[in-house]
Amino acid sequence: MSNYHVAVVGATGAVGQQMLRTLEERDFPIASLKLLSSKRSAGKVVSFKGKDYTVEEATPESFEGVQIALFSAGGSVSKTLAPEAVKRGAIVVDNTSAYRMDPNVPLVVPEVNEEDLRAHNGIIANPNCSTIQMVVALEPLREKYGLKKVVVSTYQAVSGAGLEAIDEMKQQTKAILDGEEFTPEILPVGGDKKHYQIAFNAIPQIDLFQENGYTFEEMKMINETKKIMNMAELEVAATCVRLPVETGHSESVYIETEQGGATVAEIKELLASAPGITLQDDPANQIYPLASECVGKNDVFVGRIRHDLDRDNGFHMWIVSDNLLKGAAWNSVQIAESLVKLKLLS
Amino acid sequence: MSNYHVAVVGATGAVGQQMLRTLEERDFPIASLKLLSSKRSAGKVVSFKGKDYTVEEATPESFEGVQIALFSAGGSVSKTLAPEAVKRGAIVVDNTSAYRMDPNVPLVVPEVNEEDLRAHNGIIANPNCSTIQMVVALEPLREKYGLKKVVVSTYQAVSGAGLEAIDEMKQQTKAILDGEEFTPEILPVGGDKKHYQIAFNAIPQIDLFQENGYTFEEMKMINETKKIMNMAELEVAATCVRLPVETGHSESVYIETEQGGATVAEIKELLASAPGITLQDDPANQIYPLASECVGKNDVFVGRIRHDLDRDNGFHMWIVSDNLLKGAAWNSVQIAESLVKLKLLS
């Protein structure tokens, strides 16, 4: 097996840091590693496999000789620099929303549509965190029973909004416990007009609102699910909610399968043996997925699987995963591993 | 208007305390007030309208001369003492689950089925908190468009689990912020075998599990909604989740109406003028209901109303209310007010 020239763009961010830990842990075959960032973070020293790397400012020239570049530095950086990287021969795995709905860009969750990687034109998009964990759980069901309808309500962690949002949550929490004043400044959305208390609260807004009353986060879940599963006709609806949880997204998902007749026992068996899934479903012993227990693990955890009481083809489940891992860094590294496996990296 | 001999059972609990504040605030016509509790809490002194009352242990004889008794001291107390109160001529408004599904007991949310009070046999049941706020929002839709299906995912506050649960949440939160150890001892369910961290987490269990994989809380939402709305045929499904929120339940609700053709604008207009509802729905200005802002208010707050993108008869919304008020104390006092209005109190 060859080793590859790798670049990580956004190496000092929450996801970038996690990407480095995941590359270490997976022992990804690295010939050389370049850590890139904005001008602001350039010069920082980051350790990888016991060796210190100085973070450099990302420029078009940074990508000379790079074979694979993992981007997680915001959509505008990807828009500007991903084509420059591709021009210089790199394959880009982009963790922003910049290219996800581009028809020329595969949007990939390896457990679901790894083969779509073959059609890449240099850029591969990593889906939104809340979408990834859901489609991993849905795919085995789609394959066996067909899938007609999905209604999801999310319980999302603040780390999806970055390190500053985590700080804000902790500061606010402390202020409330101490009976002190505070002014929300970041959440729900750094770039929006108003900010609300996240500590001891639940905010039904993630990302900005669209004209149709849905947020961009909700539309990402809807559109990306259809694209990844290659099912334009799938009915998908989402309500996305931010919680005072540091890391670990939870999702309450209602589905209707095409075919009736499935039992909960069959579904549990199916999901227990599906790739990337850990079944945690034993109500009698209070076993179900918890955000607090998924942190640092690559899998998607599924439990609380119940038959709808009215529709034979209806099921409910609870899906939890580490939004920084399967929702971001791990899925990106997994795409890199799939590129190696499919011999798509040159 | 007459004044009435009133008893509050469970006067020292979270809901009991709130009932007293609500009776004060509503200026309920009280001739005499008896504060009753378990033996353990008897002797405590509680103030009402500036006057001190000594809490007495509730016994069958406590209800002599009482015309209306508001119970909120746990199901077993209601099972034992509510019939004794009725035997002595009182009407009982019971806030526990003891009688809710009893076919001889009306289960009432005044905005929805006030007239069911006329059929009472001494006991009237106050529904589960998460059910009440949902049916208040559903009723105007049912009336105008018919209702076929409801799928709800809840975001429930710990005050529904009592004052000790609130303490546990705060202690745990502090321990985590301070990097200290802690052992969960109460939540998700005091009487269950295992306990999990509630701070910075989301626990998909409220109340014990049933054989069918649903929790009792979920089955309460399902069964009570059908009973209150008098719609045995209504499809209802629920996933109930406990959050680190002190007070204020939120709900992500998907509905299908019988009739298609409704618009979001029409639904907003309908709900804005419906009893007990405050519409908070202006995405462009980030106006939507928040648990943190509902506390201390009697209304049910509805927002994030969206048309399903696939089904003409499908809608999504976000419903928030103070679980100790409309979810408990205020609905109980409101039932008492309805009994006065309908001349059912003798």
Side-chain angles (χ1 to χ4, degrees):
Chain A
M1 193 156 102
S2 334
N3 286 346
Y4 301 92
H5 299 288
V6 177
V8 173
V9 187
T12 59
V15 173
Q17 286 289 303
Q18 190 56 64
M19 278 175 174
L20 293 172
R21 286 195 286 276
T22 301
L23 288 166
E24 278 184 334
E25 185 189 300
R26 299 289 302 180
D27 204 14
F28 189 82
I30 294 176
S32 73
L33 179 65
K34 248 186 201 174
L35 304 189
L36 304 171
S37 73
S38 64
K39 196 170 186 172
R40 192 165 47 89
S41 297
K44 285 191 183 169
V45 175
V46 169
S47 149
F48 181 82
K49 287 194 171 179
K51 197 182 141 188
D52 281 348
Y53 291 77
T54 302
V55 178
E56 299 166 38
E57 183 186 352
T59 65
E61 294 69 34
S62 310
F63 299 95
E64 296 289 352
V66 168
Q67 290 169 287
I68 180 160
L70 306 178
F71 273 68
S72 189
S76 59
V77 173
S78 294
K79 278 282 181 205
T80 315
L81 289 179
E84 297 292 340
V86 172
K87 212 185 284 175
R88 288 165 177 80
I91 294 183
V92 168
V93 180
D94 181 31
N95 189 44
T96 76
S97 63
Y99 297 98
R100 286 181 191 150
M101 296 310 297
D102 185 327
N104 293 314
V105 172
L107 182 67
V108 176
V109 178
E111 290 88 344
V112 181
N113 63 337
E114 186 180 49
E115 288 296 317
D116 286 355
L117 289 172
R118 298 190 190 278
H120 83 84
N121 298 297
I123 301 177
I124 294 145
N126 192 74
N128 185 46
C129 46
S130 49
T131 311
I132 295 176
Q133 66 183 70
M134 185 169 80
V135 296
V136 168
L138 294 183
E139 177 60 13
L141 299 167
R142 184 198 65 76
E143 216 175 82
K144 182 147 184 191
Y145 308 108
L147 206 52
K148 206 171 128 188
K149 183 174 185 66
V150 179
V151 179
V152 56
S153 297
T154 72
Y155 301 69
Q156 294 182 235
V158 296
S159 58
L163 296 171
E164 286 167 355
I166 298 176
D167 279 346
E168 174 170 63
M169 176 186 73
K170 290 184 179 171
Q171 296 300 334
Q172 262 180 28
T173 304
K174 194 174 175 313
I176 290 174
L177 290 179
D178 295 346
E180 286 166 7
E181 299 283 308
F182 61 91
T183 306
E185 286 176 347
I186 299 169
L187 291 166
V189 183
D192 212 341
K193 296 180 292 289
K194 291 182 191 167
H195 303 290
Y196 297 118
Q197 170 189 331
I198 183 64
F200 304 109
N201 207 5
I203 308 182
Q205 182 190 357
I206 299 183
D207 213 331
L208 301 169
F209 281 99
Q210 292 199 161
E211 282 291 329
N212 66 357
Y214 288 79
T215 59
F216 275 93
E217 182 83 357
E218 288 159 355
M219 291 312 298
K220 284 177 202 164
M221 288 198 80
I222 293 168
N223 294 326
E224 293 180 18
T225 298
K226 295 180 194 210
K227 179 170 175 175
I228 298 163
M229 303 189 87
N230 194 20
M231 290 182 78
E233 74 288 3
L234 181 65
E235 295 183 25
V236 190
T239 300
C240 291
V241 181
R242 187 76 76 188
L243 299 192
V245 169
E246 182 167 336
T247 299
H249 286 354
S250 305
E251 298 177 344
S252 170
V253 180
Y254 168 66
I255 64 161
E256 290 173 10
T257 57
E258 280 290 346
Q259 241 175 278
T263 67
V264 166
E266 278 167 18
I267 289 180
K268 285 186 185 179
E269 205 186 312
L270 181 69
L271 293 181
S273 62
I277 293 176
T278 297
L279 186 76
Q280 293 183 322
D281 197 347
D282 179 4
N285 291 303
Q286 290 176 267
I287 303 296
Y288 37 71
L290 287 169
S292 59
E293 293 182 11
C294 78
V295 179
K297 295 169 189 161
N298 285 342
D299 262 11
V300 172
F301 298 88
V302 186
R304 300 281 346 258
I305 302 169
R306 286 154 290 155
H307 215 136
D308 189 69
L309 298 176
D310 299 297
R311 297 201 188 181
D312 182 46
N313 69 334
F315 295 92
H316 304 268
M317 63 191 74
W318 180 250
I319 303 172
V320 174
S321 196
D322 185 325
N323 52 298
L324 298 179
L325 285 174
K326 185 56 182 166
W330 165 229
N331 198 68
S332 287
V333 172
Q334 207 181 0
I335 287 171
E337 291 184 355
S338 293
L339 290 169
V340 171
K341 188 181 85 179
L342 298 177
K343 305 194 191 321
L344 295 171
L345 270 187
S346 56
Chain B
M1 193 157 104
S2 334
N3 286 345
Y4 301 92
H5 298 289
V6 177
V8 173
V9 186
T12 59
V15 173
Q17 287 287 304
Q18 191 56 66
M19 278 176 175
L20 293 173
R21 286 195 287 277
T22 301
L23 287 167
E24 277 183 337
E25 186 188 301
R26 298 291 300 180
D27 204 12
F28 190 82
I30 294 177
S32 72
L33 178 66
K34 248 186 200 174
L35 303 189
L36 303 172
S37 75
S38 64
K39 196 169 184 170
R40 192 166 48 86
S41 295
K44 285 191 183 167
V45 174
V46 169
S47 147
F48 181 82
K49 286 195 171 178
K51 196 181 143 188
D52 282 349
Y53 291 77
T54 302
V55 179
E56 299 167 38
E57 182 187 353
T59 64
E61 294 69 33
S62 309
F63 298 96
E64 296 289 353
V66 168
Q67 288 169 287
I68 180 160
L70 306 178
F71 272 68
S72 189
S76 59
V77 174
S78 294
K79 277 283 183 206
T80 314
L81 289 179
E84 297 292 339
V86 172
K87 211 185 285 176
R88 287 167 177 80
I91 294 183
V92 168
V93 180
D94 182 31
N95 190 44
T96 76
S97 63
Y99 297 99
R100 285 178 191 152
M101 295 312 294
D102 185 326
N104 293 313
V105 173
L107 182 68
V108 175
V109 177
E111 289 88 345
V112 181
N113 63 337
E114 187 180 48
E115 288 294 318
D116 286 355
L117 290 173
R118 298 191 191 277
H120 83 83
N121 298 295
I123 301 178
I124 293 144
N126 192 74
N128 185 46
C129 47
S130 49
T131 311
I132 295 176
Q133 67 184 66
M134 183 169 81
V135 297
V136 167
L138 294 183
E139 176 61 13
L141 299 166
R142 184 198 65 74
E143 216 176 83
K144 182 147 183 189
Y145 307 108
L147 207 54
K148 205 170 130 190
K149 185 175 182 66
V150 178
V151 180
V152 55
S153 297
T154 71
Y155 301 68
Q156 295 183 235
V158 296
S159 57
L163 295 171
E164 286 168 354
I166 298 176
D167 278 347
E168 174 169 63
M169 176 186 76
K170 290 184 179 171
Q171 296 299 334
Q172 264 180 26
T173 304
K174 195 176 174 314
I176 290 175
L177 289 179
D178 294 347
E180 286 166 8
E181 300 283 309
F182 61 90
T183 306
E185 287 175 347
I186 298 170
L187 290 164
V189 182
D192 212 342
K193 298 180 292 289
K194 292 182 189 166
H195 303 288
Y196 298 118
Q197 171 188 331
I198 184 65
F200 303 110
N201 206 8
I203 308 181
Q205 181 191 358
I206 299 183
D207 213 330
L208 300 167
F209 280 101
Q210 293 200 159
E211 281 292 328
N212 66 357
Y214 288 79
T215 59
F216 275 92
E217 182 83 355
E218 288 158 358
M219 292 310 301
K220 284 177 205 166
M221 288 197 78
I222 293 169
N223 294 325
E224 294 180 17
T225 298
K226 294 181 193 210
K227 179 170 176 175
I228 298 162
M229 302 189 88
N230 194 20
M231 291 182 79
E233 73 289 3
L234 181 66
E235 294 184 25
V236 190
T239 299
C240 291
V241 181
R242 187 75 76 188
L243 297 192
V245 169
E246 183 167 332
T247 298
H249 286 355
S250 304
E251 297 176 345
S252 170
V253 180
Y254 168 66
I255 64 163
E256 289 173 10
T257 56
E258 281 290 345
Q259 239 176 281
T263 68
V264 166
E266 277 166 17
I267 290 180
K268 285 186 187 179
E269 205 186 311
L270 181 68
L271 294 181
S273 63
I277 294 175
T278 297
L279 185 77
Q280 293 183 323
D281 197 346
D282 179 4
N285 290 303
Q286 292 176 267
I287 301 297
Y288 37 70
L290 287 169
S292 60
E293 293 183 10
C294 78
V295 179
K297 296 169 189 160
N298 285 341
D299 262 11
V300 172
F301 299 88
V302 186
R304 299 278 352 253
I305 301 168
R306 286 153 292 155
H307 214 137
D308 190 70
L309 299 175
D310 298 297
R311 296 200 188 182
D312 181 44
N313 68 335
F315 295 91
H316 304 269
M317 63 190 76
W318 180 250
I319 303 171
V320 174
S321 195
D322 184 324
N323 51 299
L324 299 179
L325 285 176
K326 186 55 182 167
W330 164 229
N331 198 68
S332 288
V333 173
Q334 208 181 0
I335 287 172
E337 291 185 353
S338 293
L339 289 169
V340 172
K341 187 181 83 178
L342 299 177
K343 304 193 194 319
L344 294 170
L345 270 187
S346 56

